[in-house]
Amino acid sequence: MSNSTRKTEPGLDRDAVVRALGLNPDQATWRLIKSVSTEREQREVLLLDHTDRSSFVVKHEARGSKEHSAQMLGCYRALEGVMEGSRAFHMAPLVWADSERQILVLDHVPGLTAYARLQASEIELDTRADVLRQCGAWLRHLHSETSVLQFYGNGMLRRVRRFAQRTRNGEHEAAYPKKFLGICAFMHQLMRAADGAACKYGLRHGDAHSRNFIFGRDGLYGIDPLPRGDGPVALDVARFMTRLGYSFGVERAGERGLAGLNAADWVAFGSGYGQPCQDDPVLHVFFCHQLFNDWLQIPAKKELRTQSEQRRIERILMMFQTLRDQLGRD
């Protein structure tokens, strides 16, 4: 998309963004990378090219709040602070931000995402274990400053119970309602097993998955965090591994690891992360809780689901059922 007609999107003055960067709008071109428009949000991600400067990524949330934008800005700065000084691990550099207008401008990082490299590995054009090991190592660096406390999941448990009760009462429609009640019951088991276990707390990326890691010229870059702040860092591991399953499926023929993901994938990720993850009871809770949360986002009626949503719920069911077979207790 070009700005040759000086098009101004609602709430986004493109020329003003270019001027704020100290550049001439007449030498700027724009291209839409991603657009999301729902009842809850309106978000655009654009690539800004300029003849005098390397490219920028401009993120704009037209329906966002100043508070959320400020939280995002704080999140980027906190993650940049942790990655500062590392030769191998980075965040996409934040160049300029305007919390009033919900705009973030980042340096564009050329390179392949971890997702693209994992796709290439499926036809033996890349090394899957190396990609997963490096993503694990990035998270290890982020989680290097943590405190260890005892895990108590009372808040999570209350929320699960509330949804289970609402589903039984017919107040909440869930896809595959009987199986949904099954994951609610299983969450109780996992939380009891993890109660009082050692739990690492620290700064989190919040949305760590293979599309949010870019292999740049001078290292591995993280992008698009969510402002979740400090908390159990197992959330990042659970989010990465569940989304690995959503994107690439579960193992059917080879050696199955936790939740049916390829055992070698768990080993590769864990070697980068610096510790095996499959036997951690806290990780079990967050992995299953991620499945639970993602289940809640799927329309109850099949005819209302997109192909992507149908594929996701099928994989959620497969991972949940395998996880229950592996970890279930009477």
Side-chain angles (χ1 to χ4, degrees), residues 8-13 32 34-46 58-69 98-104:
T8 300
E9 298 292 340
L12 178 62
D13 185 336
L32 183 66
K34 183 178 181 180
S35 177
V36 177
S37 182
T38 68
E39 291 183 0
R40 293 185 299 176
E41 64 175 331
Q42 185 174 338
R43 175 164 43 93
E44 286 188 326
V45 182
L46 304 109
V58 180
K59 300 175 183 287
H60 177 233
E61 295 192 49
R63 297 178 189 167
S65 66
K66 288 187 287 186
E67 293 76 13
H68 178 72
S69 186
D98 185 337
S99 295
E100 290 284 330
R101 290 181 288 172
Q102 296 84 51
I103 302 169
L104 289 173

Side-chain angles (χ1 to χ4, degrees), residues 41-116:
E41 64 175 331
Q42 185 174 338
R43 175 164 43 93
E44 286 188 326
V45 182
L46 304 109
L47 184 69
L48 167 59
D49 290 316
H50 198 278
T51 56
D52 292 339
R53 179 68 159 73
S54 57
S55 302
F56 303 93
V57 173
V58 180
K59 300 175 183 287
H60 177 233
E61 295 192 49
R63 297 178 189 167
S65 66
K66 288 187 287 186
E67 293 76 13
H68 178 72
S69 186
Q71 289 172 351
M72 286 295 300
L73 179 58
C75 178
Y76 271 96
R77 286 174 172 164
L79 290 168
E80 278 187 328
V82 173
M83 297 297 166
E84 188 176 10
S86 172
R87 294 183 178 181
F89 307 120
H90 316 278
M91 281 293 294
L94 178 64
V95 178
W96 180 77
D98 185 337
S99 295
E100 290 284 330
R101 290 181 288 172
Q102 296 84 51
I103 302 169
L104 289 173
V105 180
L106 310 167
D107 268 329
H108 173 61
V109 179
L112 291 175
T113 64
Y115 178 83

Side-chain angles (χ1 to χ4, degrees), residues 14-299:
R14 294 182 177 185
D15 285 0
V17 171
V18 178
R19 291 192 188 96
L21 296 171
L23 301 171
N24 184 348
D26 292 330
Q27 296 172 291
T29 57
W30 295 79
R31 178 164 61 87
L32 183 66
I33 299 174
K34 183 178 181 180
S35 177
V36 177
S37 182
T38 68
E39 291 183 0
R40 293 185 299 176
E41 64 175 331
Q42 185 174 338
R43 175 164 43 93
E44 286 188 326
V45 182
L46 304 109
L47 184 69
L48 167 59
D49 290 316
H50 198 278
T51 56
D52 292 339
R53 179 68 159 73
S54 57
S55 302
F56 303 93
V57 173
V58 180
K59 300 175 183 287
H60 177 233
E61 295 192 49
R63 297 178 189 167
S65 66
K66 288 187 287 186
E67 293 76 13
H68 178 72
S69 186
Q71 289 172 351
M72 286 295 300
L73 179 58
C75 178
Y76 271 96
R77 286 174 172 164
L79 290 168
E80 278 187 328
V82 173
M83 297 297 166
E84 188 176 10
S86 172
R87 294 183 178 181
F89 307 120
H90 316 278
M91 281 293 294
L94 178 64
V95 178
W96 180 77
D98 185 337
S99 295
E100 290 284 330
R101 290 181 288 172
Q102 296 84 51
I103 302 169
L104 289 173
V105 180
L106 310 167
D107 268 329
H108 173 61
V109 179
L112 291 175
T113 64
Y115 178 83
R117 288 190 58 187
L118 289 169
Q119 281 188 313
S121 74
E122 295 199 317
I123 52 174
E124 299 183 355
L125 296 178
D126 210 325
T127 306
R128 186 179 183 89
D130 183 57
V131 177
L132 295 175
R133 179 186 60 78
Q134 291 191 62
C135 291
W138 192 97
L139 285 173
R140 177 184 65 189
H141 185 80
L142 175 63
H143 299 161
S144 58
E145 295 185 12
T146 57
S147 56
V148 179
L149 302 173
Q150 288 185 315
F151 173 77
Y152 295 105
N154 290 340
M156 294 168 64
L157 195 56
R158 285 194 295 270
R159 180 168 174 267
V160 170
R161 285 173 177 162
R162 186 167 64 250
F163 273 102
Q165 190 61 52
R166 290 181 62 203
T167 302
R168 290 192 190 95
N169 294 343
E171 299 167 3
H172 171 73
E173 283 191 280
Y176 305 97
K178 290 183 179 179
K179 293 180 179 180
F180 179 75
L181 290 173
I183 199 172
C184 294
F186 187 54
M187 283 290 297
H188 277 245
Q189 292 186 35
L190 293 181
M191 288 193 215
R192 286 199 303 269
D195 193 43
C199 179
K200 290 184 177 180
Y201 284 75
L203 183 64
R204 302 172 294 185
H205 178 282
D207 195 20
H209 57 75
S210 61
R211 296 178 192 268
N212 280 347
F213 289 103
I214 297 176
F215 288 87
R217 292 176 189 166
D218 56 348
L220 181 60
Y221 286 77
I223 61 172
D224 291 350
L226 291 176
R228 298 183 187 273
D230 286 358
V233 298
L235 176 144
D236 278 342
V237 177
R239 200 157 178 93
F240 186 91
M241 297 305 287
T242 52
R243 274 137 185 78
L244 186 69
Y246 298 160
S247 295
F248 296 97
V250 297
E251 188 61 55
R252 295 177 182 271
E255 185 179 353
R256 307 178 90 193
L258 186 70
L261 298 176
N262 190 299
D265 288 351
W266 281 105
V267 171
F269 180 88
S271 69
Y273 194 61
Q275 64 185 68
C277 302
Q278 295 188 77
D279 298 328
D280 179 3
V282 174
L283 187 277
H284 298 164
V285 169
F286 278 92
F287 191 100
C288 195
H289 192 247
Q290 189 66 69
L291 298 179
F292 170 84
N293 281 335
D294 295 333
W295 199 324
L296 290 174
Q297 304 306 311
I298 303 295

